[in-house]
Amino acid sequence: MRTLGVVLQVVLLIVLAPYLVGLMRQVRAVMEGRAGAGVGQPWRDLCKLFRKEPISPAGSSWVFAAAPAVLVSTSLVIAAVGPFVATVSPLDGVADLFAVVALLLLGTVALALAGLDTGTAFGGMGASREITVAALAEPTILLAGFALSARVGSTNLAAIVERGQQAPGAVLSPAWLLAAVALAVVVIAEAGRLPVDNPSTHLELTMIHEAMVLEYSGRDLALVEFASALRLTVLLGLWSSLFLPWGVATSVSPPALLIGVVAFAVKVAVLGVVLATGEVFMAKLRLFRVPELLAGSFLFGLLAVSSSFFLA
Amino acid sequence: MTIGWALLGVLVVAGLGALGAFSCGPRRRALIAGLSTLAVGALGVAAGLLALAGRTFSTTIPALLPLSEASIAVDALSGVFCLLIGGVAVVAGIYCVGYFGAGHAGSRSAQGLLPLFVAAMILVPVAGNVTTFLVLWELMALASLALVLAEHRLRPAVREAGVWYGAMTHAGLVAILLGLALFASKAGGESFDALRGADLPETSRSIIFILTFVGFGSKAGLVPLHVWLPRAHPEAPSPVSALMSAAMVKLGLYGVLRVGLDLLGGGPRWWWLLVLIVGGVSALYGVLQASVAVDLKRLLGYSTTENLGLIFLGVGAGGMFAAGGNRTLASLLMAAAVLHALNHAGFKTLLFLGAGSVLRSTGVRDLDSLGGLVSRMPATAALFGVGALAAAALPPGNGFVSEWLLVQGLIHGLPGADAVVAVAMPLAVGVVALTAGLGVATFVKAFGVGFLARPRSESAASATESPRSMRAAMLLAAVVCVGLAVVPAALGPMLAQVLGTLPTVRDGSPVRGGVTLRLTGIQGSMSPLLILAGLLAVALVVVALARRGLPRRTSLVWGCGGTRLDPRMEYTATSFAEPLTRVFDDVLRPENDVDVTHHAESQYLIESVQYRQRVDDRLEAALYPPVLAAGNKLGVLIGRLQNGSTHRYLALGLAGLITVLVVVGLTA
């Protein structure tokens, strides 16, 4: 039954992830006065791309070909171990908050190496920028995680979520609110959304993620696109489980799991809509203003830790 | 076999190996030097394993040293360092057969000294009294100095590195000597047992600790005494760099653990706060310099400063908790530090040997002129990749496990903490996190720019794979790294043995579990093996699915409208690190030179633009010149006393004698 919960969660995330991207695009389209392609378009794109042949640039190595698989597997492992639908899972002790963060970073590294492997100026540029952003986001994640787990006494994700459910006051404490802000900035940075990166741009000055994947095509591109949709879903899911823990199943009875599935879908959809709405009104930051944004979120993380100590 | 026989074997084999290598012709020399280093290392490993299995050994040899007896005492703490050094030596020994055999800088003295250097390193942690310890320490320093200088005929930079290393290592020795001599005189005996039982006043204890910490810290390459490290590591032959960077610097850690926690039996909290601060600063400064370094071996050298910084950060935090009586966290953090020392030894050996393999094949250390090696040296590239993954502290690398333990220890100190801990621990976590992030950037750069894409120079384009013994050595190191990465919990009993030798830390096994790594006393678990299995399983499914579709095709890359792609268009190490250089502008202060050559016909046309960036070690530039200038001045002053007149020297001698007598008379 517990294993069923994990399988359910992974399948749900795989199915939902492209729809989330479709939903966010549709929200933007409607707010910008366009008709939009519909919520299912990313899935249709993926199916089409998956049937097409992958092309490697001349002079690239196995690293380029292997990176999409690594990216997908890191995202799927996180999808399996995180407390998205249920906190009770046989995989609970496998990876905690820090291991999940490190796995996300591993995916980033795989893609950055692939970008460098193409040998083009774009690929190198994207890799360099992506790694810089990831390196600077890392301290914030760990500090915010510190603030959450120090009070719970564990870095275990399920334990933090359960604590949030049992003591709703904890979620509204200054430490959690500050950590929520800090992690929100990091989620936006790691998922490559505005104002850090613009996923729909192809402009040298602003590209980060897109610059790394320019040389991918066909099946490879499908994997990369799918993985980035999955990363976005996982990141929003993690944020919602940590800061809006209600609805996550604490037992594996069918009704609890059903509530967990619905609650997860609703929370992630709402967060996606909020994020997309925000993006409509926002311009991308200059690349060298991004570190300032991340430094700001680092400060929030530090404040979260000190308030979890002084105001607890 | 007992520990005693293994240690005797270390001495005998090292001596025979050195004799053999000195007396043989160039063809046999590499084989003898390599195999004897391997044998010495294997004996060291054996001694270490026996000591970790709970056996102890001690003996004294009365007439070996003048004025004192030679004393040997082996416990689990000695054992883990024997194991670490021996392990690195085994790998380096195998590597040397191919490396020196190919005629690469195979100087007679370097190969002859190699087994002696390893033997000295293995024997340092088994020394049982102050004199033996200092003699062995100095032997190790001299052997390593000679090894650093092995290629002095080829490059002038080697001599400069040798001077820096020689001066720093001996300044460190003086500090340790003063500290231990003071300790022995106050304790009334020089055997470690006598020191352990001594009841000293607080001030002397603090002075002893600070003096020895300075000495051991300089050996460990901690900021600001790290300046020899990024010089000596790149200039030494690569197996020597591996031995120094992976094994020798760890003896600094051994010294602090032995003197601070064992002989002095722990101390007030400010000692360990100091260790924590020095460690944190070293970690950050080291990784920042590494992230902008362009020379591959210099990058690895700075990364050693970073990792030793993290280790000392763990030791400092652990010491703080030990001083506060929290043994659970103290033992967890000490275990994290020792485990990270082992992990660092594993992956840094691998990385330096990989760099040596690249250097042997291309003659280039500059990342900006490497590239494309993944198809020319596939084994070296893949193995270097394993090391880079571990050094970047990403799962499933072994560096991740120990950094994870470190962060766990720091995080759980917060509940019920007082203000000092409450400020120190979050900052320490921030330092570890920023270090981890920048470490990722560093090793993506090292691997991505050095090995991927197309070659940026002729020498990289014509690279060939290294000889079999070098590949075998790297493979062995990689296997050890992977082993440490997937089943760290198996080391639990061993770590418990080591911590058992530290009186204020001793608290059973800090980690346990089989497949899943669990912590004792606090909540926390992680399973590197299952994470790796999950990653591999999903990747296999993806690959299997992909096989059914259309085959992969190779085609030209998009050349922005042009079809001719030049390697000059690729990103280099300098350009990769440019955003980071810009973000940390205030700390790094890079120097940029832009030379614009205008066309002879018109000022508006440009013939060429040359851009150079140099990032100097700012701490060194700020701290060392004044000290060196003062030293010079002092030298000139003292030089004035020496005018060659015997009368003056006799007068000085008399004055000195009278001063000593007066001082003795007044103080007695």
Side-chain angles (χ1 to χ4, degrees):
Chain A
M1 201 64 195
R2 293 183 162 211
T3 322
L4 183 75
V6 174
V7 174
L8 189 71
Q9 175 172 311
V10 174
V11 172
L12 179 75
L13 277 159
I14 290 176
V15 174
L16 272 191
Y19 283 118
L20 175 69
V21 174
L23 175 71
M24 290 175 68
R25 285 192 196 154
Q26 190 66 24
V27 168
R28 288 196 63 161
V30 169
M31 295 192 71
E32 289 167 0
R34 295 183 280 119
V39 175
Q41 188 59 36
W43 257 126
R44 290 194 285 275
D45 287 344
L46 285 180
C47 290
K48 188 178 73 181
L49 281 173
F50 206 77
R51 285 196 298 271
K52 295 193 168 230
E53 66 176 349
I55 302 176
S56 288
S60 71
S61 65
W62 55 268
V63 173
F64 181 82
V70 176
L71 192 61
V72 169
S73 46
T74 55
S75 311
L76 274 177
V77 167
I78 299 171
V81 297
F84 300 107
V85 170
T87 54
V88 276
S89 142
L91 300 180
D92 185 36
V94 171
D96 65 348
L97 181 61
F98 299 146
V100 164
V101 171
L103 279 171
L104 278 173
L105 202 54
L106 180 64
T108 309
V109 164
L111 208 54
L113 287 177
L116 282 170
D117 198 25
T118 59
T120 63
F122 273 132
M125 185 187 73
S128 159
R129 292 177 176 181
E130 176 93 353
I131 288 291
T132 306
V133 170
L136 297 177
E138 184 81 356
T140 310
I141 305 181
L142 285 198
L143 274 185
F146 191 163
L148 297 182
S149 44
R151 282 295 137 200
V152 181
S154 167
T155 55
N156 203 321
L157 284 165
I160 299 175
V161 172
E162 282 181 1
R163 165 69 176 249
Q165 284 185 338
Q166 288 155 6
V171 182
L172 291 174
S173 70
W176 286 57
L177 292 178
L178 287 163
V181 176
L183 273 183
V185 175
V186 170
V187 165
I188 290 169
E190 289 274 320
R193 309 296 302 192
L194 281 171
V196 174
D197 186 11
N198 188 347
S200 54
T201 183
H202 277 131
L203 195 65
E204 306 78 23
L205 291 174
T206 59
M207 272 193 295
I208 298 181
H209 177 81
E210 283 300 308
M212 290 188 294
V213 304
L214 271 181
E215 295 297 329
Y216 277 116
S217 54
R219 196 168 57 224
D220 285 347
L221 185 60
L223 287 176
V224 170
E225 292 287 327
F226 171 69
S228 74
L230 197 56
R231 271 168 81 96
L232 177 65
T233 317
V234 160
L235 283 165
L236 290 183
L238 268 183
W239 195 90
S240 70
S241 288
L242 290 178
F243 301 107
L244 309 165
W246 300 284
V248 180
T250 48
S251 71
V252 285
S253 64
L257 281 183
L258 188 68
I259 294 176
V261 169
V262 173
F264 174 76
V266 170
K267 278 188 286 187
V268 170
V270 169
L271 286 177
V273 169
V274 170
L275 190 56
T277 315
E279 284 185 328
V280 173
F281 297 99
M282 215 181 275
K284 191 192 165 301
L285 276 179
R286 269 186 65 209
L287 186 71
F288 289 103
R289 300 292 301 278
V290 171
E292 294 170 19
L293 181 74
L294 293 172
S297 74
F298 178 76
L299 187 65
F300 273 105
L302 209 56
L303 285 175
V305 174
S306 28
S307 65
S308 89
F309 169 65
F310 290 109
L311 301 178
Chain B
M1 186 160 59
T2 61
I3 297 175
W5 285 111
L7 293 177
L8 187 66
V10 164
L11 268 179
V12 172
V13 175
L16 289 178
L19 266 180
F22 269 114
S23 55
C24 267
R27 283 183 54 207
R28 292 247 182 92
R29 195 183 296 145
L31 198 64
I32 292 178
L35 289 183
S36 57
T37 307
L38 164 71
V40 171
L43 287 164
V45 169
L49 285 176
L50 287 169
L52 286 170
R55 296 204 208 174
T56 52
F57 173 77
S58 61
T59 186
T60 49
I61 310 155
L64 195 63
L65 297 174
L67 300 178
S68 164
E69 56 186 18
S71 164
I72 299 284
V74 186
D75 58 6
L77 182 61
S78 321
V80 74
F81 284 89
C82 288
L83 174 69
L84 185 156
I85 295 160
V88 176
V90 166
V91 174
I94 301 174
Y95 186 87
C96 282
V97 176
Y99 187 82
F100 287 136
H104 188 85
S107 81
R108 186 189 292 261
S109 50
Q111 296 178 37
L113 280 171
L114 204 60
L116 289 181
F117 173 49
V118 171
M121 281 200 294
I122 289 175
L123 293 176
V124 165
V126 305
N129 69 11
V130 172
T131 314
T132 317
F133 182 84
L134 289 171
V135 167
L136 288 166
W137 187 270
E138 178 60 12
L139 259 181
M140 172 183 85
L142 286 178
S144 58
L145 178 58
L147 286 168
V148 167
L149 286 168
E151 295 176 8
H152 70 98
R153 287 203 189 86
L154 304 178
R155 297 184 303 275
V158 175
R159 278 168 237 176
E160 195 206 326
V163 170
W164 274 93
Y165 177 55
M168 290 302 289
T169 193
H170 284 99
L173 176 77
V174 169
I176 297 169
L177 186 125
L178 285 177
L180 290 183
L182 180 66
F183 199 173
S185 71
K186 294 271 179 190
E190 62 142 3
S191 80
F192 283 177
D193 281 329
L195 299 185
R196 215 169 268 136
D199 187 24
L200 265 54
E202 188 72 30
T203 330
S204 341
R205 285 160 53 87
S206 295
I207 293 172
I208 292 165
F209 180 75
I210 298 293
L211 278 172
T212 51
F213 180 53
V214 167
F216 292 129
S218 91
K219 186 52 87 184
L222 296 184
V223 167
L225 303 172
H226 67 290
V227 286
W228 62 272
L229 203 146
R231 285 197 167 79
H233 286 2
E235 300 301 343
S238 294
V240 176
S241 316
L243 279 169
M244 287 175 70
S245 198
M248 189 183 74
V249 294
K250 302 289 159 41
L251 289 172
L253 171 66
Y254 169 76
V256 170
L257 291 180
R258 177 66 83 195
V259 174
L261 283 167
D262 180 17
L263 300 184
L264 288 170
R269 202 162 68 172
W270 67 264
W271 289 8
W272 303 105
L273 187 62
L274 178 77
V275 174
L276 178 118
I277 292 170
V278 171
V281 171
S282 302
L284 264 187
Y285 191 76
V287 77
L288 253 183
Q289 291 286 348
S291 69
V292 297
V294 177
D295 180 323
L296 181 55
K297 286 179 76 177
R298 193 175 161 87
L299 179 151
L300 294 177
Y302 273 121
S303 151
T304 297
T305 293
E306 172 217 334
N307 281 290
L308 266 291
L310 286 178
I311 292 170
F312 274 87
L313 187 145
V315 169
M320 279 176 76
F321 286 121
N326 187 343
R327 283 172 180 251
T328 310
L329 284 181
S331 66
L332 177 61
L333 282 160
M334 290 295 167
V338 173
L339 189 61
H340 197 63
L342 286 170
N343 284 335
H344 176 250
F347 66 70
K348 197 46 71 67
T349 308
L350 181 53
L351 289 169
F352 262 117
L353 298 186
S357 179
V358 170
L359 186 60
R360 192 203 65 90
S361 180
T362 63
V364 175
R365 292 193 323 230
D366 186 358
L367 283 172
D368 284 350
S369 32
L370 287 170
L373 298 176
V374 70
S375 54
R376 288 160 187 82
M377 307 175 72
T380 302
L383 294 168
F384 189 92
V386 172
L389 185 74
L394 288 175
N398 57 352
F400 171 67
V401 178
S402 36
E403 286 197 18
W404 182 83
L405 275 182
L406 184 62
V407 173
Q408 290 289 343
L410 295 175
I411 274 192
H412 286 88
L414 202 56
D418 64 355
V420 177
V421 173
V423 173
M425 294 304 139
L427 285 178
V429 169
V431 166
V432 175
L434 191 57
T435 308
L438 291 172
V440 169
T442 304
F443 284 96
V444 166
K445 180 184 72 177
F447 184 70
V449 176
F451 290 86
L452 301 182
R454 288 184 303 277
R456 298 178 183 80
S457 67
E458 271 305 306
S459 43
S462 59
T464 50
E465 187 55 275
S466 300
R468 201 174 293 145
S469 86
M470 289 167 67
R471 277 179 284 159
M474 288 188 281
L475 184 66
L476 182 60
V479 168
V480 171
C481 283
V482 173
L484 283 170
V486 293
V487 282
L491 297 180
M494 194 194 94
L495 292 172
Q497 284 279 341
V498 176
L499 301 185
T501 59
L502 309 174
T504 53
V505 177
R506 195 179 297 150
D507 181 49
S509 175
V511 294
R512 62 205 157 77
V515 173
T516 302
L517 181 68
R518 291 183 197 284
L519 308 176
T520 303
I522 54 181
Q523 272 193 44
S525 68
M526 197 252 308
S527 175
L529 185 60
L530 287 181
I531 290 178
L532 178 63
L535 288 176
L536 284 179
V538 179
L540 281 179
V541 169
V542 171
V543 170
L545 279 178
R547 279 193 164 237
R548 295 171 28 173
L550 292 166
R552 178 174 295 277
R553 186 158 64 88
T554 304
S555 181
L556 283 178
V557 293
W558 179 54
C560 301
T563 48
R564 197 173 49 89
L565 262 180
D566 200 80
R568 275 171 53 87
M569 295 174 188
E570 291 176 44
Y571 250 51
T572 60
T574 315
S575 43
F576 185 85
E578 201 269 347
L580 281 176
T581 319
R582 206 188 268 220
V583 171
F584 294 101
D585 202 7
D586 294 338
V587 187
L588 293 168
R589 292 279 166 83
E591 283 179 29
N592 297 316
D593 292 332
V594 185
D595 289 344
V596 181
T597 316
H598 292 284
H599 207 272
E601 305 274 312
S602 161
Q603 278 288 306
Y604 298 104
L605 295 175
I606 289 171
E607 202 163 275
S608 69
V609 180
Q610 262 203 343
Y611 175 83
R612 273 188 310 274
Q613 184 178 56
R614 221 179 60 238
V615 185
D616 285 333
D617 197 321
R618 262 186 85 203
L619 267 179
E620 180 192 319
L623 294 180
Y624 282 77
V627 177
L628 294 180
N632 256 346
K633 248 184 205 164
L634 189 69
V636 171
L637 275 179
I638 291 175
R640 275 193 210 152
L641 292 177
Q642 297 182 326
N643 62 352
S645 144
T646 315
H647 297 295
R648 179 178 282 198
Y649 294 160
L650 287 174
L652 285 174
L654 185 65
L657 186 63
I658 290 170
T659 317
V660 169
L661 288 176
V662 168
V663 169
V664 168
L666 286 179
T667 53

